[in-house]
């Protein structure tokens, strides 16, 4: 360093603030002994003009080129002294401060040690400043757009001020409407103006202002950049109503069948799933609450909107409910009988008592239609395309139905004499009457599907012919071949597959004689057993190799079979069929036991010790499954997958062009509803295929409900279980065993649904909305904004008083929070402004309890500031609207604002009883609420009976204040509210330049203070905008390229992407315009190439040596 | 008062050992908390010498070793809470380096209690005072750190710029 260092050191007394604890004179003298120091002085107030003049004079007269001031925190006066240096012609960065006030004199209780500490800090500063270099301030332009977060009165005020100056504002509000908490209030203290009357004009003005862009029902999700140039991402949550189309007419609300808790009314009433928060909402549009896809719908293979049809059913809209089912599944009467209804297994109501009888409701709806007639849903206009479907089982029928509704000409070719596949030939009549099936298939035919039976592939037509004549072919042949037992004697006369047995029973119904054994544990086995019994079998026994619990058949089927007299033999497996003269005589069986869990998650059946048994029988029915049998004419034309099913790609296309396949033919044996789902899915793809459009990818994943969605209120009624025909009446094949629920039972059962998804997507609103504004498939979207300044006006929450069991909230009705009372007394609230108890009676006495959770070390230590006045307002309103006596329980009455004390006096004059003492406990005695409190003025303990209690709860930081603070890189104070830059002088600023605070997010305050702070925050932003540019710190990192080894260590460390790699020079390139000066890269550079201005390594080592010197 | 030049002699009772602790405090959280402690007049021992950095991410292990060899009995690094860093994640980097240093110091005969990392939010003036008080008490129990300079001298070459240029260590 060529220049001679000439340092001046100035020790400030700060009146007595420093001088009381630190021997400032000694510190000054000590400084004079340090190397490079040419002058050292102590002075009463260094920050004063004469103090600054001392420095300026010495710079000029003594030729100082470095300055150290030992005084307060640099966060106070560093800029002051830098300016003083600059005024004397010296670069402001040739300066250091030693913080001997906040960090020495004010925290010390020992003058001797404090003086040593002060000296050490001065020593460090003097050593460091030698290496300080002149730095040039940088300026960046300020984007004049402003982001305001929160649309309550604070956000509105700030937005209108800034927009009024002609600058663009983006106003982000989390809820559906502007207004915030104030919109919930009835009157405002002390003037008693109506809150809505003074707030709504601001809301409307903000809504209409050309310089304010509203982003309601939106949240800020990402903030990048810095003062003057922030990049912000905002997520606009899906409202499911188009804000630009909705007229706010409310037709949707009138038809919505779903009620949910009205949060705007603080849970005092219910609202519809489609709603507007309050009459004066801005924007004046509706929105729909969806919590996710309910588990019933999520688990249904066909995705039937269960909640939707239950909601419509309970309104008696049976045909609408059925039409909704048909949107997902065209065979409701069949499904209502034979579906395995996994929906009921998942039903949330099952967590409370028993699941909703979903399947029985569906069955009723279909049967109701059969009796009362139906309306055919409209089909799309004819497309001119033709599709052929081979197989009229559930998959083929579903595909045909949806393709026909999409406007295509559809023919289904069925080999058997009747359509229905296994529904027709595999399920016995007593479970699914033929007439019901026929009616459903007729309905599908009426939708335009041409079903042609007795058409065998290979005999009556070929695949080639179909390909020539149709635009696409869908193969839905199912699994038509039975699995064999694979044991000796299986080919004896008297051994049948369940498939053959049930088919013959379903066509000819020949009688059965003698003893029957059924092998297997699925529904086919139970069906075969019960059918055999009905056809006259002497006895029927089901032989199953696992246990009863492991049977795949439905529990109710097993139960009914047992009632009818079917016997069960578990843990038994067939070994061989014993016969004589070619006829069955007996079945030799082996005892089994359960072993390890297999790949399918069930325990294996393995041989057990014990003698084999010989079971005599005249008929053995093997119900051990089915498999695909490809017709000869398809062999070689469509490829098979390894498991023997037809091979398809992700779109269900076979290896033959234009030929699709689905259902059991592709999946192997599964359920009827899965086959329907496969047919419906194929229809969607084939529709796009024949139209020449891009094939649709997999449907977007539905959003499941949150697990912990708690339900507090629900319709209390037991499940209506469908009745079963008495076993003695079940003779013959056709008597249907399960009875359809009655209309009354179904109306009641549908009310049991918890509406756990809130909106049921029943589509009623879509039908009535003339503006076409409703879109249930709307998705969240993200918008990116560029702004120069940000104002946070995110508001507060109230303490949930149920945390203190003594206050009775949540335990007793008629114990309300202040906000609930605001809604109760509000003309737009649940009682249209009448102050009544839950039972509708007017209270005879009301207690208002102050400081619930405030000024209480168990909860919040601070005073919430607004409660005293709000309590007086409540007292006045009760007095005004009722004849009730009013008791105020207070600790201290704080009426500090303009006209507040006068209001207090007025309310006292109105005859309100003031009891000085905190309401300690709320009890219930003799049907009334009783407040226990110590009256500290009289010195007595009191119990006051009342009929309503208003708890004036603490204002607390919002639950996500921590996340929001991190998002905007600001801090929170000890009480959890956002931290202002300075509690007195910078209450609107935060430590992050360009981010300001307005209203209660910074701490509890009333409306006048909130509005004042909001206007102040707007002024802060406008100051930056007017200046047009903003100073940014010159303290940045840089790279000495000749030392850089190109290791790239620093690059991922930089949170601002300020470092890139030059492939040409093989070194790191530092963009100082992006650097914020944290120095992390510098600390981690293994080559010593990264440097940081004003925090250079040599400066750091010097200051360390300096402070360690004594 | 010119005779009062060293910490150890400055105590009210001359016999009591007064340790010297260097505290590297980040500008946004811990340094502000230290100011707040002052504004609230919360008293804590005078043994700490505060060095301001913009972010604890700037604190090189060299600084800590330098302080210990220059006469400090202990070193405190205090920054923002996880997630609260003004620079998003500088405090995490500091934390990672801390783990390395804490495993290294005992190898030089320096108790690991002599180096401490704390998260102190700007509102936590009281916590800052508590941390300092607690640390001073601990170091008083441990006694002076003597001879650290000599023992750490072995490291000088390790951290010197020349050595680092050869591709040395990555403490990122």
């Amino acid at each position: 360093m060529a220049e001679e260092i000439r340092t001046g050191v100035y020790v400030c007394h700060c009146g007595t603030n420093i001088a009381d604890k630190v021997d400032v004179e000694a510190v000054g003298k000590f400084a004079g002994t340090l190397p490079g120091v040419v002058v050292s002085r102590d002075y009463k107030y260094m920050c004063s003009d004469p103090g600054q003049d001392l420095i300026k004079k010495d710079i000029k007269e003594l030729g100082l080129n470095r300055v150290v001031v030992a005084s307060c925190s640099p966060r106070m006066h560093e800029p002051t002294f830098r300016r003083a240096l600059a005024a004397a012609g010296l670069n402001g960065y040739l300066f250091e401060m030693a913080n001997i006030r906040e960090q020495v004199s004010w925290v010390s209780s020992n003058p001797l040690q404090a003086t040593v500490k002060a000296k050490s800090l001065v020593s460090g500063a003097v050593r460091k400043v030698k290496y300080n270099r002149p730095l040039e301030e940088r300026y960046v332009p300020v984007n004049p757009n402003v982001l305001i977060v929160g649309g309550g009165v604070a956000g509105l005020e700030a937005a209108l001020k800034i927009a009024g100056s002609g600058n663009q504002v983006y106003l982000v509000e989390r809820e559906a409407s502007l207004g915030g908490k104030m919109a919930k209030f009835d009157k405002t203290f002390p003037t008693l103006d109506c809150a809505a009357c003074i707030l709504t004009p601001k809301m409307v003005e903000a809504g209409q202002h050309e310089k304010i862009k509203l982003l309601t029902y939106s949240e800020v999700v990402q903030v990048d950049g810095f003062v003057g140039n922030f990049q912000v991402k905002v997520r606009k949550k899906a409202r499911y109503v188009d804000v630009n189309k909705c007229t706010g007419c409310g037709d949707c609300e009138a038809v919505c069948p779903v009620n949910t808790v009205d949060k705007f009314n603080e849970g005092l009433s219910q609202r519809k799933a489609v709603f507007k928060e309050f009459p004066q909402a801005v924007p004046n549009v509706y929105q729909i609450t969806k919590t996710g896809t309910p588990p019933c719908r999520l688990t249904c293979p066909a995705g039937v909107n269960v909640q939707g049809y239950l909601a419509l059913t309970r309104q008696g809209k049976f045909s609408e409910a059925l039409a909704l089912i048909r949107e997902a599944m065209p065979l409701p009467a069949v499904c209502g009988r034979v579906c395995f209804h996994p929906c009921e297994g998942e039903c949330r109501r099952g967590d409370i008592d028993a699941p909703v009888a979903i399947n029985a409701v569906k069955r009723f709806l279909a049967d109701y239609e059969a009796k009362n007639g139906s309306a055919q849903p409209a089909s799309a206009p004819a497309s001119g395309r033709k599709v052929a479907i081979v197989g009229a089982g559930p998959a083929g029928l579903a595909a045909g139905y949806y393709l026909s509704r999409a406007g295509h000409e559809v023919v289904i070719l069925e080999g058997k004499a009747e359509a229905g596949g296994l529904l027709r030939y595999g399920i016995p009549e007593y479970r699914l009457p033929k007439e019901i099936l026929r009616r459903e298939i007729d309905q599908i035919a009426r939708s335009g599907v041409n079903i042609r039976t007795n058409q065998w592939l290979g005999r009556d037509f070929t695949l080639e012919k179909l390909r020539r004549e149709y635009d696409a072919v869908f193969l839905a042949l199912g699994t038509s071949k039975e699995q064999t037992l694979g044991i000796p004697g299986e080919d004896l006369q008297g051994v049948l597959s369940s498939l053959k047995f049930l088919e013959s029973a379903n066509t000819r119904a020949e009688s059965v004689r003698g003893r029957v054994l059924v092998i297997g544990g699925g529904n086919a086995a139970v069906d075969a057993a019960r059918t055999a019994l009905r056809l006259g079998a002497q006895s029927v026994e089901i032989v199953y190799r696992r246990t009863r619990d492991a049977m795949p058949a439905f529990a109710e089927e097993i139960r009914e079979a047992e009632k009818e007299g079917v016997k069960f033999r578990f843990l038994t497996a067939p070994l061989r069929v014993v016969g004589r003269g070619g006829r069955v005589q007996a079945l030799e069986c082996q005892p089994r036991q359960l072993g390890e869990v297999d790949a399918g998650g069930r325990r294996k059946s393995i041989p057990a010790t014990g003698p084999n048994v010989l079971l005599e029988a005249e008929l053995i029915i093997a119900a051990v499954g089915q498999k695909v049998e490809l017709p000869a004419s398809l062999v070689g034309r469509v490829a098979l997958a390894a498991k023997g099913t037809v091979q398809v790609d992700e779109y269900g296309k076979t290896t033959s062009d234009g030929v699709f396949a689905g259902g059991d033919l592709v999946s192997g044996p599964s359920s009827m509803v899965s086959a329907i789902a496969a047919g419906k899915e194929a229809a969607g793809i084939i529709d796009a295929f024949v139209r020449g459009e891009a094939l649709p990818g997999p449907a977007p994943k539905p959003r499941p409900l949150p697990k912990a969605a708690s339900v507090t209120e629900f319709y209390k009624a037991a499940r209506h279980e469908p009745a079963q025909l008495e076993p003695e009446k079940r003779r013959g094949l056709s008597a249907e065993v399960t009875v359809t629920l009655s209309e009354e039972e179904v109306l009641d059962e549908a009310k049991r649904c918890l509406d756990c998804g809130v909106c049921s997507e029943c589509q009623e609103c879509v039908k009535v909305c003339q503006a076409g504004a409703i879109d249930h498939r709307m998705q969240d979207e993200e918008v990116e904004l560029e702004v120069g300044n940000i104002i946070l006006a995110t508001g507060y929450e109230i303490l949930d008083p149920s945390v203190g069991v003594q206050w009775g909230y949540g335990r007793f009705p008629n114990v309300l929070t202040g906000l609930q009372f605001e809604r109760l007394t509000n003309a737009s609230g649940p009682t249209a402004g009448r102050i009544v108890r839950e039972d509708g009676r007017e209270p005879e006495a009301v207690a208002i309890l102050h400081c619930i959770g405030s000024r209480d070390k168990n909860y919040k230590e601070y005073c919430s500031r607004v409660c005293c006045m709000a309590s007086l307002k409540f007292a006045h309103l009760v007095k005004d609207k009722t004849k009730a006596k009013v008791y105020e329980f207070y600790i201290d009455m704080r009426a500090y604002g303009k006209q507040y004390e006068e209001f207090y006096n007025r309310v006292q004059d109105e005859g309100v009883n003031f009891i000085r003492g905190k309401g300690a406990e709320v009890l219930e005695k003799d049907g009334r609420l009783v407040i226990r409190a110590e009256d500290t003025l009289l010195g007595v303990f009191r119990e006051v009976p009342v009929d309503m209690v208003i708890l004036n709860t603490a204002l607390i930081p919002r639950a996500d204040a921590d996340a929001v603070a991190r998002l905007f890189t600001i801090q929170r104070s000890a009480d959890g509210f956002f931290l202002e830059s300075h509690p007195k002088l910078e209450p609107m600023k935060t430590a992050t330049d360009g981010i300001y605070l307005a209203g209660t997010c910074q701490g509890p305050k009333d409306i006048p203070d909130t509005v004042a702070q909001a206007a102040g925050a707007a002024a802060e932003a406008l100051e930056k905008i007017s200046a047009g540019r903003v100073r940014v710190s010159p303290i940045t990192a840089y790279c000495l390229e000749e030392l850089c080894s190109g290791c790239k260590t620093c690059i991922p460390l930089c949170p601002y992407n300020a470092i890139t790699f030059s492939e040409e020079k093989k070194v790191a390139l530092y963009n100082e315009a992006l650097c914020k000066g944290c120095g992390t890269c510098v600390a981690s550079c293994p080559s010593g190439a990264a440097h940081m201005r004003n925090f250079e390594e040599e400066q750091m080592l010097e200051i360390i040596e300096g402070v360690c010197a004594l | 008062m010119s005779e009062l030049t060293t910490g150890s002699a400055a105590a009210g009772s001359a016999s009591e050992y007064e340790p010297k602790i260097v505290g590297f405090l980040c500008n946004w959280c811990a340094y502000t908390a230290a100011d707040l402690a002052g504004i609230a007049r919360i008293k804590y021992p005078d043994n700490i010498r505060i060095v301001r950095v913009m972010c604890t991410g700037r604190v090189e292990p060299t600084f800590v070793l330098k302080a210990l060899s220059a006469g400090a009995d202990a070193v405190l690094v205090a920054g923002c809470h996880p997630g609260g860093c003004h620079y998003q994640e500088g405090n995490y980097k500091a934390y990672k380096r801390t783990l390395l240093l804490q495993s290294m110091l005992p190898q030089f005969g320096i108790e690991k209690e002599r180096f401490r990392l704390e998260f102190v939010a700007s509102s936590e003036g009281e916590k800052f005072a508590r941390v300092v008080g607690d640390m001073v008490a601990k170091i008083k129990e441990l006694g002076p750190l003597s001879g650290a300079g000599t023992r750490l001298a072995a490291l000088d070459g390790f951290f010197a710029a020349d050595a680092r240029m050869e591709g040395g260590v990555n403490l990122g």
Side-chain angles (χ1 to χ4, degrees), chain A residues 816-869:
Chain A
L816 306 175
T817 65
L819 263 187
Q820 283 180 323
F821 182 77
E822 295 278 8
R823 293 314 298 156
L824 194 65
T825 181
N826 194 304
S828 72
T831 60
R834 288 189 312 119
I835 299 172
V836 288
R837 291 158 42 96
E838 202 191 32
D839 57 14
R841 272 199 305 123
E842 198 173 87
E844 285 168 28
V846 175
I848 302 168
L849 273 53
H850 295 220
C851 298
I852 298 301
S854 307
R855 307 181 68 204
D856 183 335
K857 288 211 167 175
N858 297 313
Y859 305 98
K860 302 289 173 189
E861 205 177 333
Y862 54 82
C863 166
S864 291
R865 296 188 77 217
V866 297
C867 330
C868 281
M869 297 309 295

Side-chain angles (χ1 to χ4, degrees), chain A residues 102-154:
Chain A
E102 282 85 346
Q103 298 183 1
V104 179
S105 68
W106 278 352
V107 295
S108 178
S109 33
N110 182 328
L112 298 179
Q113 283 210 33
T115 304
V116 174
K117 188 176 176 186
K119 284 180 183 174
S120 78
L121 296 181
V122 169
S123 154
V126 167
R127 290 187 67 150
K128 182 190 173 218
V129 81
K130 284 194 288 186
Y131 293 91
N132 281 19
R133 281 175 243 167
L135 297 177
E136 291 313 317
E137 309 256 277
R138 297 182 297 152
Y139 291 89
V140 293
V142 173
N143 183 321
N145 301 341
V146 178
L147 170 72
I148 297 176
V149 188
V153 66

Side-chain angles (χ1 to χ4, degrees), chain A residues 505-529:
Chain A
N506 273 321
T507 45
R508 294 184 298 277
E510 287 167 8
S511 59
V512 171
R513 279 186 200 87
R515 294 159 293 183
V516 179
L517 292 176
V518 181
I519 301 164
N523 279 321
V526 180
D527 284 351

Side-chain angles (χ1 to χ4, degrees), chain A residues 23 73 120 1086 1105 1108, chain B residues 1 20 35 49 58 66 164:
Chain A
D23 184 343
S73 171
S120 78
E1105 286 219 19
C1108 288
Chain B
M1 284 206 262
K20 207 183 295 173
D35 274 358
R49 310 283 186 262
R58 173 69 188 97
K66 176 74 183 178
R164 293 194 303 182

